[in-house]
Amino acid sequence: MIYLNDDIASFDVEAALPLLSEQRREQTLKFRYELGRKTCAAAYLLLCEGLQKEYGITERPLFEYGEHGKPFIVGHPDIHFNISHCREAVLCVVSDRPVGVDIESIREYRDSLVRYTMNDAEIARIEQAERPEVAFIRLWTMKEAKLKLSVSTFAIEKLKS
């Protein structure tokens, strides 16, 4: 299931801090800028919401980290999640299978970035779009989510071996 907070601007970090695990609170407070603190706390709360709704888990999750930094929920190896954030929003997906998700802000179209990250067919699709900046971000987020899924799948296979 997908959980979204698309109002990061009004997210209250101070009110959220008591709702976080000590581990996540420490991580949140390490961020230098308010936006980082907001997205860190908001992402954790979305995960908590997903765990409660999907699995009935009400305790605050703790994380262990895999070889490449991918977090896993302590005591729940069969629950998979992935988080992404941008300036305006945080997105979390929770599942019983490996998952990947990405969210991005729509930003200025840069031809050099498009040509560096996309293949010829994708470039043509973007250039033909009514709003090329939106078409680019749509393809970019799909690629990023798939990459995150691939990393999750690779990490699980490595843990099993």
Side-chain angles (χ1 to χ4, degrees), residues 79-128:
I79 298 176
H80 304 274
F81 70 98
N82 199 244
I83 294 170
S84 184
H85 60 82
C86 62
R87 292 182 188 274
E88 303 85 12
V90 175
L91 187 64
C92 177
V93 63
V94 178
S95 180
D96 58 357
R97 294 183 295 187
V99 290
V101 68
D102 189 46
I103 190 168
E104 300 285 338
S105 302
I106 304 296
R107 60 189 112 149
E108 180 182 338
Y109 181 86
R110 291 193 355 228
D111 189 62
S112 61
L113 181 60
V114 171
R115 299 203 175 282
Y116 181 74
T117 58
M118 301 291 158
N119 64 38
D120 290 341
E122 292 164 337
I123 292 170
R125 185 170 157 188
I126 291 166
E127 289 176 343
Q128 293 169 3

Side-chain angles (χ1 to χ4, degrees), residues 29-46:
L29 294 173
K30 285 181 183 178
F31 282 91
R32 184 175 179 185
Y33 297 106
E34 183 181 25
L35 181 60
R37 291 189 299 272
K38 284 182 172 190
T39 57
C40 185
Y44 184 84
L45 293 179
L46 285 178

